[in-house]
Amino acid sequence: MEGADAVVNLNGASIAGGRWTPARKALLRSSRIDSTRLMVSALAKLQRKPRVFIAASAVGYYGNRGDEILTESSSSGSDFLASIARDWEAESARPRAAGIRTVILRLGVILSAREGALPQMLRPFRFGVGGHLGDGRQWMSWIALADAIGIISAAVADERYAGPLNVVAPNPVRNAEFTRVAAHLLHRPAIFPAPAFALRLLLGEMADALLLSSERAVPERLLGLGYDFLFADLETTLVSLLRPR
């Protein structure tokens, strides 16, 4: 990293990459916290330090908060993912002591046509068995991949970007609304809801954290900085992503 202008750390094992056994949970923590600690320690020893260190986190920092509107000043939650994010951010903030501008990205669900969460979320709809998860009232904070990249690019260039940022679109949606929009755009029914108890039987603790948890995060600081979202509305975003290439 010697001589680098900016360092962006997005490292971490996939949260949804396997059932949360004790070994898997240990990997989720170490791949974020231990790797960041190693990187930050190396940054502090550089003769020519970068101007900015940009580090990933997630809106899971806030935990399951129902209908509460969550800004960057909201407190951290208390569940497993919140504890990881809190400790991860603590490691990521250390470069500030070495005079390096530090930006922490609290990422929502990143929507991309080809990879990540969206293809998995749409698969049941494509087979005609889509439906809302649990009662469908949980909020989903999302961000288009193009905007996630745009925000990182802005954070590299703009000295005003510092501290935690909710990297989410301005309009979070309830799971029931996501279900309605996805079914409409794919011309498929959405009549097969997945009960919470069934999801918990299938996925264990991961079901509550990833599918049933409600995080209504808003990009208060990004809007204050004047970031111009390419995709602010879910339906417009999905129309663009699902358009035949």
Side-chain angles (χ1 to χ4, degrees):
M1 296 182 290
E2 187 73 55
D5 187 56
V7 173
V8 182
N9 178 23
L10 306 178
N11 193 49
S14 172
I15 290 291
R19 194 178 178 91
W20 286 1
T21 62
R24 182 72 190 175
K25 291 172 77 171
L27 175 63
L28 295 178
R29 286 190 61 87
S30 65
S31 65
R32 287 164 173 77
I33 297 163
D34 295 349
S35 65
T36 299
R37 183 180 299 123
L38 179 65
M39 178 176 286
V40 167
S41 296
L43 282 173
K45 298 173 184 176
L46 298 177
Q47 292 185 356
R48 293 177 298 162
K49 296 179 175 61
R51 290 187 306 103
V52 59
F53 176 61
I54 300 172
S57 182
V59 294
Y61 171 91
Y62 301 111
N64 184 9
R65 304 286 276 271
D67 292 337
E68 181 182 354
I69 296 175
L70 303 168
T71 70
E72 289 85 354
S73 60
S74 298
S75 61
S76 175
S78 58
D79 61 16
F80 173 65
L81 289 185
S83 71
I84 287 183
R86 187 169 54 249
D87 293 346
W88 195 11
E89 291 190 13
E91 292 295 335
S92 296
R94 287 171 51 211
R96 286 201 296 255
I100 301 171
R101 178 167 61 90
T102 302
V103 183
I104 294 175
L105 311 170
R106 290 178 183 163
L107 293 155
V109 177
I110 298 177
L111 301 184
S112 165
R114 293 181 296 175
E115 55 193 334
L118 185 60
Q120 304 299 322
M121 295 163 72
L122 295 180
R123 182 168 290 119
F125 294 93
R126 296 188 187 279
F127 288 98
V129 292
H132 61 75
L133 305 177
D135 63 12
R137 292 185 53 80
Q138 65 272 33
W139 288 93
M140 182 179 88
S141 298
W142 59 275
I143 185 78
L145 177 61
D147 275 317
I149 294 169
I151 291 162
I152 292 172
S153 297
V156 169
D158 192 331
E159 296 288 332
R160 298 177 303 155
Y161 283 63
L165 298 174
N166 284 346
V167 182
V168 295
N171 299 298
V173 296
R174 293 188 190 273
N175 177 257
E177 175 66 6
F178 174 87
T179 299
R180 183 195 67 78
V181 172
H184 170 69
L185 295 179
L186 293 174
H187 307 290
R188 296 290 191 274
I191 57 175
F192 295 96
F197 78 87
L199 293 171
R200 291 180 180 120
L201 282 175
L202 181 65
L203 299 173
E205 181 183 358
M206 188 164 62
D208 282 291
L210 297 187
L211 302 180
L212 302 173
S213 183
S214 180
E215 288 118 8
R216 191 182 182 183
V218 295
E220 183 177 75
R221 293 199 59 223
L222 284 171
L223 293 173
L225 288 164
Y227 179 79
D228 187 15
F229 284 86
L230 297 170
F231 297 99
D233 170 78
L234 178 68
E235 185 160 358
T236 303
T237 304
L238 292 186
V239 166
S240 175
L241 293 177
L242 299 177
R243 182 184 301 130
R245 300 288 173 178

